[in-house]
């Protein structure tokens, strides 16, 4: 597949490299410096390159949205037309101070996106353990039991594609249902992040996550 990365930070950078090494064609876009995008592309080896958000969108079958919620308007403006694209979002709708969700309970960030870009096919993939956990994914891929990664969405074909990407990153995809499930999972994702950063106990966190997935 051709995958456009919109936001090449911790999430986008790491997942893009994994996707490229798994054999997908990846375009890294949206960072504060173009050199960083080129460096990521080099790490992703032959199947990755740097580009603008618009280039990432134009040639992509699927897009990964991995930006802070406050950057959303800017990214969408630079990205251009997202009609028909599978947009996988892991962006939590947090305020600028990262202290609380600005969208949740009655709606989710993914649902907001789906309303704002009605012609895109939005899939929410989040509730993930923080990206540090992904660092050893390739080394642990041979293990028979894999941690779960929850995703949800309304479009069966998009979800099939996303499940493949989740497998490629070393997780077991767990279909949580329609997009509206995202509104219940977003507060949970926050709790997971808080446990990870304040609890200092990664393995236990991964276990809790897997248990939740089942
Ligand atoms: N990190 C995780 O483990 C994790 C897990 C689950 C969900 N999430 C969610 O995923 C989203 C992204 O997280 P992240 O940790 O990947 O964030 P991040 O590391 O801050 O990445 C954000 C990206 O946006 C770019 N950016 C920020 N301001 C910009 C500007 N003015 N112009 C151009 N590019 C700009 C950053 O550029 P630079 O690369 O130059 O900094 C970076 O590439 C967040 O909503 C987060 O809550 C993260």
């Amino acid at each position: 597949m051709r995958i456009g990365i919109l936001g090449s930070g911790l999430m986008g950078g790491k997942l893009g490299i994994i996707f490229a090494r798994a054999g997908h064609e990846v375009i890294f876009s949206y960072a504060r410096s173009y050199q960083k995008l080129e460096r990521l592309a080099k790490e992703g080896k032959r199947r990755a390159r740097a580009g603008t958000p618009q280039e990432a969108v134009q040639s992509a079958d699927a897009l990964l949205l991995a930006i802070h919620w406050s950057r959303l308007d800017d990214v969408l403006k630079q990205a251009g037309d997202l009609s028909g694209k599978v947009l996988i979002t892991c962006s939590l709708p947090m305020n600028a101070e990262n202290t609380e969700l600005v969208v949740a309970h009655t709606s989710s960030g993914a649902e907001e996106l789906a309303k704002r870009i009605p012609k895109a096919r939005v899939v929410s993939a989040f509730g993930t353990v923080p990206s540090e956990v992904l660092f050893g994914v390739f080394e642990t891929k041979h293990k028979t039991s894999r941690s779960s990664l929850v995703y949800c969405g309304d479009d069966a074909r998009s979800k099939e594609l996303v499940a493949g990407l989740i497998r490629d990153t070393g997780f077991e995809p767990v279909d949580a249902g329609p997009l509206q499930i995202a509104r219940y999972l977003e507060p949970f994702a926050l709790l997971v992040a808080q446990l990870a950063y304040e609890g200092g106990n990664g393995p236990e966190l991964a276990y809790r996550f897997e248990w939740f997935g089942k």
Side-chain angles (χ1 to χ4, degrees), residues 10 18 27 45 50 52-53 70 80 92 98 114 123-124 162 165 173-174 182 199 208 213:
L10 261 177
I18 291 173
I27 298 185
K45 311 235 166 93
T52 63
S70 61
L92 279 174
N98 279 328
V123 173
S124 187
V162 167
L165 291 174
V174 177
R208 282 167 196 231

Side-chain angles (χ1 to χ4, degrees), residues 7-12 30-33 36 66-69 71 74 90-92 128-132 197:
S8 299
L10 261 177
M11 283 293 277
Y30 204 74
R32 274 168 275 236
S33 85
K36 180 185 179 181
I67 40 116
H68 192 275
W69 193 251
R71 305 307 310 166
D74 190 41
C90 60
S91 291
L92 279 174
T128 61
V129 285
S131 54
E132 287 85 341
Y197 289 113

Side-chain angles (χ1 to χ4, degrees), residues 15-74:
L15 288 172
I17 288 169
I18 291 173
F19 291 148
R21 291 184 180 172
H24 301 289
E25 203 178 308
V26 172
I27 298 185
F28 289 99
S29 79
Y30 204 74
R32 274 168 275 236
S33 85
Y34 203 75
Q35 284 84 346
K36 180 185 179 181
L37 300 176
E38 289 177 323
R39 182 174 54 71
L40 289 170
K42 211 168 153 193
E43 271 189 69
K45 311 235 166 93
R46 68 194 159 82
R47 307 236 57 189
R49 67 183 173 90
T52 63
Q54 199 179 19
E55 285 164 344
V57 169
Q58 272 165 0
S59 57
D61 301 307
L63 293 153
L64 182 79
L65 185 70
I67 40 116
H68 192 275
W69 193 251
S70 61
R71 305 307 310 166
L72 188 60
D73 287 340
D74 190 41

